[in-house]
Amino acid sequence: MQNEKITIFDTTLRDGEQSPGCSMYLDEKVEMARQLERLGVDVIEAGFPIASEGDFAAVKAVSSEVTNATVAALGRAMEADVAKAGEALEKARHSRIHTFIATSDIHLEYKLKKTRNEVFEMTRRAVKQASGLADEVEFSAEDATRTDIDFLCEILDAAVDSGASVLNIPDTVGYMLPNEYAAVIASVKERVVRDRDVTISVHCHNDLGLAVAGTLAALEAGARQVECTINGIGERAGNAALEEVIMAVNVRSEKLPFIHNIDATLLYPTSQLLSSFISFGVQPNKAIVGRNAFAHEAGIHQHGVLSNPLCYEIMTPESVGVPQNDIVLGKHSGRHALVSRLQSLGYKFEADEVSELYQRFSALADKKKNIYDQDLLALIPQTMPTAIAA
Ligand code: KIV
Ligand code: ZN
């Protein structure tokens, strides 16, 4: 049997950006979108246009910039939201309106103050309206995993009948154990999708640290679109990390027989680029892109790795684009070492820019013993015309 393709839907610029410490300027969002496209992401969710003028402008700018990827804009299942999303997407080569409404009783009673019937009707109206404004429509049942399964299936069915081709089943509060989530996805596949050309999407939050595990379990149960973010940023404890999902699929392909368009060697540069835009870096022990992800400290581990990297490494640093760091940068390092490290991170500079950067680097090296890639990236001023190597 041929391996099935999965769609990678990146929401770094929407669910990621809306979380504390992650706001980005317009030019940073556009730069990030370019990098996501290079990385091979299929769908870039660029913002929530009705939420702010900034989000509207970001979706508009990303729509004009991106060529291959589909650009998605989020909107509640309300007329004004959907209209604004459609307007922001006008220039997109491939557009998607992503409309959502909460479906769990707890959200209906306390947040929306609406009946199931009202939510059902709002879904039908919003999806229908969105179908006339974008190439495709995705519907999300917010808090799907705490929704009565019969009502969930009913509303998803109505969304398909009204024109949605992607059904997202978010674990909005990160509550599901992977096997429970897989069971919900299997029910939706059997009861709603049946033989129709509809994609099931997964969207997991990481409140219990299970977002990636839930995502992989959902893929095994029939989901074919993954919603994720670079470095796992997102509301509260974040979303499923794109780099972790991709490397799980790549490393364990015998168990997860899926194909995707992601160029894994761009995972690390993309993670670094994002860190340089937001107000915090990657935790050192973060899987795949953390500073220590490939560092071997214990003597016994070092001996094993030197004899054969397979002893302790299930993937190589190069496979995810981590540069070879044999040169340690510190206060005795010269310009060449600095330029070479920046080049390996994908940046090129003019001679006068190098002088300015070197001054900044020397000042930092006087204060800090070890200079990491994150530190170097933080040295680059926003105004400097940098280039990320394709
Ligand atoms: O977590 C969530 O439920 C969401 C929806 C808007 C898709 O982000
Ligand atoms: Zn979310």
Side-chain angles (χ1 to χ4, degrees), residues 4-22:
E4 278 184 66
K5 161 93 170 48
I6 52 173
T7 299
I8 303 298
F9 175 116
D10 180 278
T11 183
T12 304
L13 297 174
R14 198 279 296 169
D15 215 329
E17 208 258 351
Q18 76 191 42
S19 62
C22 294

Side-chain angles (χ1 to χ4, degrees), residues 1 88 91 96 115 120 122 174 189 193 204 215 244 276 279 288 320 351 354:
M1 206 176 73
K91 292 264 161 51
R96 178 184 294 187
T115 62
F120 187 85
M122 286 171 78
K189 185 170 151 71
V193 174
C204 293
T215 300
E244 295 178 20
S276 73
S279 67
I288 319 295
V320 298
V354 171

Side-chain angles (χ1 to χ4, degrees), residues 14-15 203 205 239:
R14 198 279 296 169
D15 215 329
H203 179 113
H205 280 270
N239 288 62

